Amino acid sequence: MRFPRLRAIIFYSFLFATSAPVLSLVVLTVSAAWRYPSLLPTVFSWRYLVSVLAQDRRTAEALINSTLIAALTTALTLLLAVPAAKALGLYQFRGRQAVKLLVLLPLMVPGITVTMGMHLTLIHLGLAGSIAGVVVVHTVFTLPYATRVLINVFELVGEKYEKQAAMLGASPRMILTDVTLPMIMPGLLSAAIMSFIVSFSQYITTFFIGGGRILTVPLLLVPHLQSGEIQVAAVYSLLFIMSTLASIALMEGIVRKFYKGAYFLQT
Amino acid sequence: MANIRLEHVYKSYGEQQVLADVSLEIDDGEMFALLGPSGSGKTTLLRLIAGLEAPSAGKVIFNNADFTHVSAQRRKAIIVFQDYALFPHLTVWQNIAFGLRAGGVPRVALESKVHDILGLVHLKDRQHSLPGELSGGQKQRVALARACVLEPRVLLLDEPFSNLDTGLRQSMRDFVAALQERLRFTCILVTHDKEEAFMMSRRVAVIVDSRLQQVDTPEAIFTQPLTKKLSDFLGEANYLDGRVQGGNFYCALGIFAVNAPDSANAVGRFRWDQLALTREAGPHQGRVAAKSYAGKATYYTVTIERGHTLNVFSARHDFFVGEEIFLEVLPSAVNVY
């Protein structure tokens, strides 16, 4: 260990750089007056917290909607991404490399373009303004991330273990539940977490497709930012961070419970 | 356990032919070796027998029943891969029980079978370990146990010893041979190592360039390879031009009885170990041009009359470079192509 002091300085600078914004958010939620050049607020108040958490009914509605939409989006994404990633990761076919790149297309085209285009289609299908419609649009944006992560996992794990299981007499179902799923679980978890976060933080897509009827946390947050009610926005931001973290912890907990000693790609 | 028969098996991937017209019969309970250089198609043949691939043409027959289109799941022909493919998330015990569970073996029978085979492969004390915690030899024994516990029709070993250190390799060869002796399963060993093939089995099939070159005893393959391709794969041989007339091969080293039709342009094969150096006067005088010591033997390069250069593999290390010596041909079959 050379330069222990330098290492400590670098470490604490990074720690400060990452935690300071969150800390200032926390302080902001209880500050009624906080002006330059004061280091800390001059007047404290609970009223922002109380109004958002206890008085505003829309908070609960938005939280429930956000979580429900993110959970459904994650489920739909994995359902589509796992078979797609397996095919792209393991099977040899003409145009495989091109398809692997095209999977990322929804992220390369400006999001608003995709959303406007889909809005028309969803109106025709009668899905605009519904949770289902929002989930479909969110999935368009989560699918590239999830597929990409899972392609890498399938390429890493390979087909050998499935072949070995088949030779040992396992049925396709047993191969899926006892070999493939446990082996891709770390990647599956990453893909799920990423999908959840991407869905949870969508604003424009929810705004357009939900048509104002589907209220989510970002939809509550943004107007307050624009109107300068920065303390209310801070409360929503903290709520946003905490519910995302709680969901990730829940997902990890479930995986750990069902896949004890899960293989965390220790190659 | 089963008798395995391949009938005119072909396999191609697109334009590329991997196996051409392979016909082969392996007896019930036999330890059989499939020898060939890498890329010769021997691993593909193994996968065809296991049902991981289907042949482009031809038949795979187990005990007189056509298994060509039976799925891997129902074949009970199990490959033990070079890197063992142990399920990394399952313990030794769970790995070994995997196939029994797949086959719906009742709990009590399953436990006793796993228990017995764990004893046979000396892994009782490691049964709760994960594969990541095992040594190479232990992993291989788990892989063998996982396959053997199912009493497979045939056990297919794909380059089983090439990942092991030299010392361990020999003891695992002995272990596999003893296990096969004891359980009497039909076993096909795929290897690129000719010594390994010769030592492990009584019959060896050699595949070179997608084609079966010869199926024979190790001695016959070593001393009388039927094709030039096989001879080239075995290596360690000198080739001398000459002619065949009336069952005799005439070349710079003399006249040798051969079993070949008359030909004006023949090539005779003299193994390096078939030639010997001596200081006693003989018909072929030569000079040692180069020498390289390899422990149990020494490789010499010798030039003889008319500028022929020959390699000799000798247990004697005392000839020196530049020495005038005599060369003799030891009595052993000479092959011409």
Side-chain angles (χ1 to χ4, degrees):
Chain A
M1 272 268 271
R2 289 166 70 197
F3 310 119
R5 186 166 295 184
L6 184 64
R7 277 162 175 270
I9 290 172
I10 292 174
F11 175 76
Y12 287 109
S13 327
F14 273 100
L15 190 68
F16 179 76
T18 46
S19 58
V22 181
L23 280 176
S24 68
L25 264 187
V26 174
V27 178
L28 204 54
T29 57
V30 288
S31 63
W34 191 6
R35 285 190 196 84
Y36 180 82
S38 322
L39 184 63
L40 285 170
T42 41
V43 184
F44 287 91
S45 163
W46 295 108
R47 67 184 153 102
Y48 306 107
L49 276 172
V50 173
S51 80
V52 170
L53 297 179
Q55 291 169 347
D56 194 342
R57 284 227 196 100
R58 293 180 312 161
T59 306
E61 185 194 339
L63 259 180
I64 290 168
N65 275 346
S66 273
T67 312
L68 181 68
I69 288 169
L72 289 173
T73 301
T74 304
L76 182 62
T77 302
L78 294 185
L79 219 56
L80 295 171
V82 169
K86 185 173 177 188
L88 287 167
L90 296 181
Y91 305 151
Q92 297 300 323
F93 54 89
R94 195 183 287 265
R96 171 167 166 257
Q97 291 304 328
V99 176
K100 269 169 78 173
L101 193 67
L102 286 178
V103 161
L104 296 179
L105 209 56
L107 302 182
M108 294 187 239
V109 176
I112 189 73
T113 321
V114 179
T115 312
M116 298 292 265
M118 287 201 66
H119 193 197
L120 269 178
T121 312
L122 289 172
I123 289 171
H124 287 307
L125 292 172
L127 286 175
S130 71
I131 296 241
V134 174
V135 168
V136 168
V137 174
H138 283 191
T139 304
V140 171
F141 293 94
T142 54
L143 208 46
Y145 294 109
T147 312
R148 220 29 216 220
V149 168
L150 288 168
I151 286 174
N152 290 342
V153 174
F154 274 109
E155 281 175 343
L156 203 65
V157 170
E159 226 176 345
K160 193 176 51 190
Y161 297 96
E162 295 186 354
K163 299 272 186 200
Q164 182 76 68
M167 288 190 289
L168 294 169
S171 62
R173 190 200 161 100
M174 182 175 174
I175 294 175
L176 179 71
T177 57
D178 286 47
V179 178
T180 311
L181 281 181
M183 290 198 67
I184 65 164
M185 194 47 77
L188 209 58
L189 188 64
S190 308
I193 288 172
M194 221 175 327
S195 303
F196 193 94
I197 293 174
V198 168
S199 166
F200 208 89
S201 58
Q202 289 291 314
Y203 172 70
I204 297 281
T205 48
T206 319
F207 182 74
F208 271 95
I209 306 298
R213 268 179 282 175
I214 309 296
L215 194 64
T216 61
V217 178
L219 253 54
L220 276 182
L221 167 66
V222 173
H224 290 289
L225 276 177
Q226 286 166 338
S227 67
E229 274 187 289
I230 198 111
Q231 293 91 337
V232 179
V235 178
Y236 282 125
S237 296
L238 273 182
L239 210 56
F240 185 100
I241 293 171
M242 286 192 299
S243 41
T244 312
L245 285 179
S247 309
I248 292 172
L250 186 71
M251 280 192 263
E252 287 210 342
I254 291 170
V255 167
R256 272 180 215 288
K257 189 171 160 66
F258 287 98
Y259 292 95
K260 279 182 199 132
Y263 174 52
F264 277 83
L265 294 179
Q266 8 150 290
T267 32
Chain B
M1 332 276 134
N3 154 292
I4 314 277
R5 209 161 73 234
L6 303 174
E7 287 181 357
H8 306 291
V9 167
Y10 288 79
K11 178 72 186 178
S12 352
Y13 297 108
E15 297 284 285
Q16 195 197 359
Q17 186 151 62
V18 185
L19 288 171
D21 198 18
V22 174
S23 294
L24 195 59
E25 179 154 12
I26 296 147
D27 295 330
D28 195 355
E30 184 178 9
M31 175 72 132
F32 188 87
L34 208 53
L35 176 65
S38 50
S40 58
K42 59 188 194 304
T43 298
T44 305
L45 192 61
L46 206 67
R47 294 169 67 86
L48 287 173
I49 296 171
L52 298 182
E53 317 244 1
S56 310
K59 283 183 180 167
V60 178
I61 292 164
F62 287 11
N63 283 342
N64 298 318
D66 189 347
F67 266 62
T68 315
H69 300 292
V70 173
S71 72
Q73 193 200 335
R74 300 184 195 286
R75 273 197 203 200
K76 287 183 100 180
I78 305 174
I79 298 181
V80 174
F81 287 116
Q82 187 172 359
D83 57 359
Y84 322 123
L86 299 179
F87 302 122
H89 56 292
L90 301 181
T91 64
V92 168
W93 198 96
Q94 290 167 330
N95 262 285
I96 295 173
F98 187 91
L100 296 169
R101 226 155 44 76
V105 175
R107 191 79 199 170
V108 178
L110 180 146
E111 281 181 0
S112 98
K113 277 178 186 235
V114 174
H115 183 263
D116 290 350
I117 201 97
L118 274 169
L120 213 54
V121 298
H122 316 299
L123 280 169
K124 277 216 177 97
D125 51 336
R126 299 314 300 267
Q127 56 179 299
H128 301 301
S129 305
L130 285 169
E133 301 159 4
L134 302 178
S135 70
Q138 289 172 330
K139 280 185 197 163
Q140 183 161 52
R141 281 182 278 150
V142 176
L144 285 168
R146 182 175 65 175
C148 289
V149 77
L150 299 176
E151 295 166 25
R153 291 199 173 90
V154 54
L155 187 69
L156 306 157
L157 306 175
D158 187 11
E159 300 278 0
F161 309 112
S162 48
N163 272 359
L164 303 174
D165 297 335
T166 319
L168 186 58
R169 190 178 303 164
Q170 190 50 50
S171 73
M172 279 313 295
R173 281 179 190 156
D174 294 342
F175 178 81
V176 170
L179 197 67
Q180 199 266 341
E181 193 86 344
R182 166 121 189 225
L183 301 176
R184 283 269 153 226
F185 43 78
T186 309
C187 183
I188 303 178
L189 167 77
V190 162
T191 178
H192 66 276
D193 180 343
K194 54 183 188 275
E195 276 185 36
E196 185 165 288
F198 294 163
M199 283 160 60
M200 297 283 297
S201 50
R202 282 193 207 121
R203 286 202 312 144
V204 177
V206 192
I207 297 184
V208 181
D209 287 348
S210 317
R211 284 179 185 275
L212 197 58
Q213 305 290 327
Q214 191 168 349
V215 185
D216 226 320
T217 60
E219 293 84 354
I221 284 174
F222 185 67
T223 59
Q224 291 182 284
L226 290 176
T227 64
K228 178 71 164 45
K229 272 185 184 169
L230 172 49
S231 173
D232 286 341
F233 165 65
L234 294 172
E236 307 198 330
N238 301 293
Y239 297 105
L240 280 176
D241 293 333
R243 64 191 164 85
V244 180
Q245 198 175 354
N248 283 317
F249 176 63
Y250 297 79
C251 70
L253 283 178
I255 303 164
F256 302 91
V258 291
N259 183 14
D262 286 4
S263 157
N265 287 311
V267 178
R269 172 183 191 259
F270 296 86
R271 293 190 321 276
W272 296 357
D273 63 297
Q274 199 176 342
L275 303 176
L277 301 182
T278 171
R279 292 194 170 105
E280 289 160 30
H284 307 292
Q285 200 172 5
R287 179 197 293 269
V288 177
K291 169 181 182 179
S292 85
Y293 177 74
K296 61 190 172 190
T298 296
Y299 294 90
Y300 294 98
T301 304
V302 177
T303 51
I304 58 167
E305 60 259 43
R306 280 183 276 164
H308 287 292
T309 302
L310 298 170
N311 290 316
V312 179
F313 190 50
S314 171
R316 286 181 62 175
H317 308 294
D318 59 333
F319 301 104
F320 54 85
V321 175
E323 186 179 359
E324 295 288 337
I325 45 81
F326 295 94
L327 188 74
E328 46 177 23
V329 181
L330 301 174
S332 175
V334 172
N335 291 81
V336 294
Y337 304 106

